[in-house]
Amino acid sequence: MEYVLQTSGLTKMFGKKAAVSDLNMNVRQGDIYGFIGKNGAGKTTFIRMISGLARPSKGEIQLFESSDLVNQRKRTGTMIENPAVYPNMTARQNLYYYCRMLGLNPEGTIDEMLSLVGLTDTGKKKAKNFSLGMKQRLAIAVALLGDPEFLMLDEPINGLDPTGIKEVRELILRLNRERKITILISSHILGELSKIANRYGVINNGILVDEFSSQELTNRCAGELEVKVDNVQGAADVLSQNLNIQSFKIVDGNTIRIQKEINNAGQINMELAKNGILVSSSMVVGQDLEGYFMQLMNQPAINYQTV
């Protein structure tokens, strides 16, 4: 088995508005899949359809490469939106309740879950007195009951302080590495997801804008060599014909940005000068993760090509 989740043309309509539109997603076994989008982009609606809490308007879902969703959903765990914990119960009482509701034997299971999420020492403290990070970890423990192979977490770091974010992040990594759980985690904070995810899907207004790996993200956010010249078309000809550089873009009347050639700035400048192109400046410019995310949300990504 390679894929834990596959969707084809998945769509959810609310009246005439599509909350999720014709969405094709592929989550491989072992992935930590970062599902990125602004609030209201369709992330929660998508997860609700996968977990069986909302009925798709059209499209197909496969879990573990099977269309038998009733049985395959037994192999999944889900935490959606606000932590589903009972405020007047302790962590142990919450887990006991959910074990009984799910038909699971609480003997041994509760202690294992409390230890796994770092809540062993909460004792008689009620959940209403927990920090938000503790509530999130308790909700993840609930989602882990039944020993799922695929875990879907909807905005688990939203609203957390730096300590809470770090605790949840470390827990997710441990679940993936030690328990071999495939995880889909939705968030609007790309910077945090970049610390744990190995694949990404970006959703905007219900449409999956892009899917890419962590390596592709690194490449896309890598620095570019920005060269200002007196003859931009002549410089483009030198790059493509003399240096066989294909990945560049003319930005304006005197600026070219070149990908993947940061370490060759000296050679590029010498070749341009040798061919009568005056270089007024040459510098490395970059784009941070949040900047790249905003670009995906607001405009098409730049296509680099020979001009």
Side-chain angles (χ1 to χ4, degrees), residues 234-245:
D237 291 340
V238 171
L239 291 174
S240 60
Q241 296 172 18
N242 295 30
L243 296 173
N244 196 29
I245 293 174

Side-chain angles (χ1 to χ4, degrees), residues 20-239:
V20 173
S21 180
D22 198 31
L23 196 151
N24 303 322
M25 179 184 284
N26 299 283
V27 179
R28 296 186 178 95
Q29 187 176 33
D31 278 349
I32 298 181
Y33 188 104
F35 192 29
I36 313 290
K38 296 178 182 177
N39 292 332
K43 302 187 301 296
T44 299
T45 300
F46 176 83
I47 293 174
R48 288 176 63 85
M49 287 191 286
I50 304 305
S51 62
L53 297 174
R55 184 185 297 273
S57 301
K58 64 177 182 177
E60 297 180 0
I61 300 170
Q62 282 200 333
L63 287 168
F64 305 98
E65 301 186 353
S66 169
S67 298
D68 181 6
L69 299 182
V70 172
N71 282 315
Q72 299 307 322
R73 282 179 176 134
K74 296 174 183 177
R75 301 166 67 182
T76 70
T78 309
M79 187 193 84
I80 294 181
E81 297 177 302
N82 297 321
V85 299
Y86 289 91
N88 290 314
M89 292 183 181
T90 65
R92 181 174 293 277
Q93 288 169 338
N94 266 280
L95 291 175
Y96 183 87
Y97 170 81
Y98 278 106
C99 279
R100 288 303 191 192
M101 188 175 72
L102 295 169
L104 302 172
N105 182 2
E107 188 69 31
T109 301
I110 293 176
D111 288 332
E112 180 188 3
M113 288 299 107
L114 290 175
S115 175
L116 183 63
V117 301
L119 294 176
T120 302
D121 298 329
T122 53
K124 295 182 179 180
K125 186 175 184 178
K126 293 183 177 179
K128 65 181 179 182
N129 297 318
F130 285 6
S131 68
L132 182 54
M134 292 169 67
K135 290 177 182 177
Q136 294 286 50
R137 283 184 282 135
L138 178 56
I140 292 173
V142 171
L144 288 169
L145 293 173
D147 196 21
E149 298 169 53
F150 178 39
L151 187 63
M152 293 180 287
L153 305 176
D154 186 24
E155 297 278 6
I157 58 177
N158 192 26
L160 299 186
D161 61 20
T163 300
I165 290 174
K166 183 174 183 290
E167 291 171 347
V168 172
R169 184 173 68 229
E170 290 176 349
L171 172 59
I172 289 169
L173 286 170
R174 194 162 65 251
L175 293 173
N176 178 255
R177 292 171 181 171
E178 297 177 8
R179 299 176 75 98
K180 309 302 181 184
I181 299 174
T182 302
I183 299 172
L184 183 147
I185 171 173
S186 79
S187 180
H188 59 279
I189 309 172
L190 181 58
E192 280 302 323
L193 282 192
S194 69
K195 297 175 183 177
I196 57 176
N198 68 300
R199 284 189 59 78
Y200 302 87
V202 180
I203 187 172
N204 189 29
N205 294 323
I207 298 170
L208 195 68
V209 177
D210 202 358
E211 273 191 312
F212 46 87
S213 68
S214 56
Q215 185 58 55
E216 288 172 316
L217 178 63
T218 298
N219 292 341
R220 293 178 189 187
C221 293
E224 301 165 357
L225 183 64
E226 182 178 277
V227 183
K228 292 188 178 294
V229 296
D230 65 338
N231 180 353
V232 73
Q233 189 58 57
D237 291 340
V238 171
L239 291 174

